Structures are given as structure tokens and as C-alpha cells.
Amino acid sequence: MELRHLRYFVAVADEKNFTRAAERLNIAQPPLSRQIQQLEEELGVVLIEKGSRPLRLTEAGQFFHAHAQELLDKAQDLKAMTRRVGKIERKLSIGFVASTLYGLLPEIVRRFRDRYQAVDISFHELTTVEQLKALKDGTIDVGFGRLKGEDAAIRRIVLREEPLIVALPVGHRLTRVPGALKMSELMDDPLIVYPKTPRPSFADQVLATFRERMLVPRQVIEVRELQIAIGLVGAGQGIAIVPDSLQGMIRTDVVYKPLDDRQAISPIIFSARAMDRSQELADMLAIIYEIYEERQIPHVREEL
Ligand code: BEZ
């Protein structure tokens, strides 16, 4: 059994259809069917229920699918890591969600750059979901995102939990309410959420925060990205729930107010390939914790 067999089987299982799987793999359908048949013969078990449309996996097929995917992820991980180890120059490619750029990310990177001048740093603005793919294909080495999730190929560390705040148009009646706002006070305005795609995203985190409090926003407007959400708030189209870091995005047409709800938070998550134990990642993590400690930012320290 070769990696090719695993790739072919996973494509068929994901697509539930031989024609679509062959298209995805860029091969003709007859050789694909033959390879799956060979695989079943070698294993001596039936993996796909005969005659099922759409295709259904047998119990053995489901077991094989889960583990084949894991092995493929590991092979991908091995490829990216070996390339990284083999490189003489030190590189660190960082994926980040836009909101982190208004918080501590610039300071973290400045400090890293000053201390490790030989490391070549590059940046990619990516949603959390996009970061996972970019980690697996080796485009980035570390991602700073906001969504939790399980993936055996990815090591995730929750760096800290950031309070959510509300962005209001300047002159909005709620800007005159003293102190923090209750989530229930936000029901009269359209809620602007981002990013619209890919999902799940920070938009779902915000919508879940309302749902968990049995609150239903009057209208939800989904937009492509953070800057558009804040621009529309400035234009008076609605309000937005954003991480506290956004206070770093100073605009004359937007006012930020805290929320009177300690559970309304968004985590900042460090993601790396599960096998990556490189010095650059350890140095980056150490600088993050150093800054948290200097600023007395609550966090729970984890090792790489
Ligand atoms: C933070 O704000 O805590 C943070 C932002 C980017 C990377 C790491 C941490």
C-alpha cells in the first residue's frame, strides 16, 4: 500500500463519487476505480458499500478514512518540516488575522527582529481557517488566529483570551451611556460581522456570543473583512463587536465601548505544525510571554 492509495481513497470518500474524485485528482476514472479495488484486495476488506449512491463507506472504510487522512497530514507535515530543516538561512513566515495587527503583533515582531536579526520574517494576512491550510502546505510556520478546533497535524496554544468590545458610530446614542454596555442594549442596531468567508470565522464567534445569551440581533450584515466592517460602522450602517485590540485602530468616526460581560471574549491562538520544534517558534513564544508578563496581561503559559 502506497501513499497514492491513501490519497485516492480519501478523495473518493470525501467526494462520495468516483467521477468527482477523479476530477479532483486529475486522473481518469477507470484507473481510480482499479486502484481502490487493488486497495480493497490488499486489505482483504470492503471499504465502500457496493452500489451505494452517493457512495457510503463501510465501518472498515470509515476507520480507514480517518486514519488515512491523518497519515496524509503527517506526510505533508514531514515534507514541510524537512524543507525547513534543510534550509541554511533562518526563516519565519507568519500568518495573522487582521485584528492582531492593531494589538500586540507589531511589538512582538519588532522585538523578535531586534533580537534575532538573522531571521528573515515574512507576513501573510489569513483567516484562522486559511492559516491551517497554509501551515500544512508550508506557506507559513506560525499562525495567529482566533478559532479553536481540533486537528492532529496542528499544535495550538491559546495565548490569552481577549475581551470583546463594541464599535459604534460617533454620535450614536449608546456612546453617551456611561461605562460598559450590556449586550442586550445592542439589539436595536444592525450588527456588522466579518469575515463573510471562509467559515467558520470570527463572525460565527460573535453570533454565538449573542446566541448563548438568547439574544437575536435585529439584522446581521456580513462583510468581507475587518476594515470594511469598521468603515461601515463609521458610515453609520450599524455596530460591530470586535476584539479589544481594535482600540489601536483610531478613527474619528468610530467610538469603542467596553462590554459589561466578562464571558464575551475572543481567544488569540498560536498555531504551528505539530512536529515543528524549531528555535524560531520557541523564541517567538518566549517573546510573547515576556511582553504579557511586562504588561501584566493575564495568560496561562504553555510550552511548545
Ligand atoms: C496578542 O495580542 O496577544 C497577540 C497578537 C499577535 C500575536 C501574538 C499575541
Side-chain angles (χ1 to χ4, degrees):
M1 186 168 68
E2 293 172 26
L3 275 183
R4 182 184 71 248
H5 290 108
L6 303 190
R7 248 182 335 108
Y8 287 3
F9 178 76
V10 166
V12 172
D14 287 349
E15 298 294 340
K16 299 185 177 54
N17 177 296
F18 272 94
T19 313
R20 279 199 303 272
E23 275 166 18
R24 170 167 145 186
L25 292 164
N26 234 340
I27 59 169
Q29 193 183 323
L32 174 61
S33 306
R34 262 198 311 281
Q35 296 280 328
I36 301 292
Q37 211 177 343
Q38 261 179 20
L39 182 63
E40 289 187 320
E41 278 164 17
E42 182 177 345
L43 293 170
V45 292
V46 176
L47 298 172
I48 298 169
E49 284 182 18
K50 297 287 169 256
S52 56
R53 294 265 182 295
L55 294 185
R56 266 196 317 273
L57 301 185
T58 60
E59 198 182 336
Q62 287 170 22
F63 175 84
F64 189 76
H65 183 213
H67 291 272
Q69 184 63 65
E70 220 172 278
L71 277 174
L72 288 174
D73 287 345
K74 283 220 166 82
Q76 187 66 34
D77 208 5
L78 180 64
K79 200 159 79 180
M81 277 309 300
T82 308
R83 284 194 183 129
R84 186 152 157 71
V85 169
K87 284 198 175 124
I88 311 294
E89 77 271 42
R90 296 180 66 198
K91 279 193 171 186
L92 188 67
S93 183
I94 301 173
F96 62 94
V97 291
S99 58
T100 59
L101 208 51
Y102 299 97
L104 295 178
L105 185 62
E107 182 176 349
I108 291 165
V109 172
R110 234 185 350 260
R111 201 172 288 196
F112 187 93
R113 234 187 242 296
D114 285 349
R115 210 169 286 171
Y116 306 106
Q117 293 179 8
V119 182
D120 181 17
I121 303 177
S122 59
F123 293 95
H124 302 260
E125 192 213 323
L126 297 168
T127 66
T128 312
V129 170
E130 289 166 342
Q131 287 177 20
L132 297 189
K133 183 172 175 299
L135 281 167
K136 289 181 185 177
D137 67 24
T139 312
I140 61 168
D141 304 304
V142 58
F144 296 112
R146 294 195 174 270
L147 297 183
K148 292 181 179 164
E150 287 304 314
D151 188 325
I154 304 295
R155 164 89 171 109
R156 281 192 175 86
I157 297 176
V158 177
L159 294 172
R160 67 181 177 111
E161 303 212 298
E162 201 182 2
L164 290 172
I165 58 170
V166 56
L168 301 159
V170 70
H172 189 284
R173 66 192 160 76
L174 290 176
T175 61
R176 291 186 290 278
V177 173
L181 296 175
K182 294 195 170 46
M183 299 262 310
S184 57
E185 289 179 283
L186 309 178
M187 293 301 101
D188 292 338
D189 295 271
L191 176 69
I192 303 169
V193 295
Y194 68 90
K196 192 173 183 167
T197 56
R199 305 300 270 263
S201 74
F202 181 70
D204 299 296
Q205 215 168 63
V206 168
L207 295 173
T209 306
F210 280 92
R211 215 173 27 250
E212 283 156 12
R213 287 152 187 79
M214 308 287 183
L215 297 171
V216 182
R218 191 167 69 90
Q219 185 194 352
V220 175
I221 303 172
E222 296 182 342
V223 297
R224 194 161 48 80
E225 58 181 23
L226 166 65
Q227 286 80 358
I228 295 175
I230 294 297
L232 289 184
V233 171
Q237 284 294 98
I239 61 169
I241 301 290
V242 292
D244 186 51
S245 305
L246 256 286
Q247 307 227 32
M249 188 202 269
I250 297 160
R251 293 180 55 125
T252 51
D253 52 3
V254 174
V255 175
Y256 300 103
K257 293 271 290 176
L259 286 173
D260 179 19
D261 188 329
R262 285 164 156 263
Q263 309 301 323
I265 47 112
S266 173
I268 299 183
I269 299 170
F270 172 109
S271 302
R273 285 180 289 275
M275 282 201 280
D276 195 343
R277 294 284 181 278
S278 62
Q279 193 57 46
E280 290 78 19
L281 286 189
D283 293 340
M284 174 60 79
L285 196 57
I287 285 179
I288 294 170
Y289 287 139
E290 186 180 291
I291 292 175
Y292 285 174
E293 270 143 37
E294 281 170 16
R295 296 186 173 208
Q296 299 181 348
I297 294 175
H299 64 282
V300 178
R301 213 184 168 103
E302 273 190 55
E303 296 303 318
L304 190 61

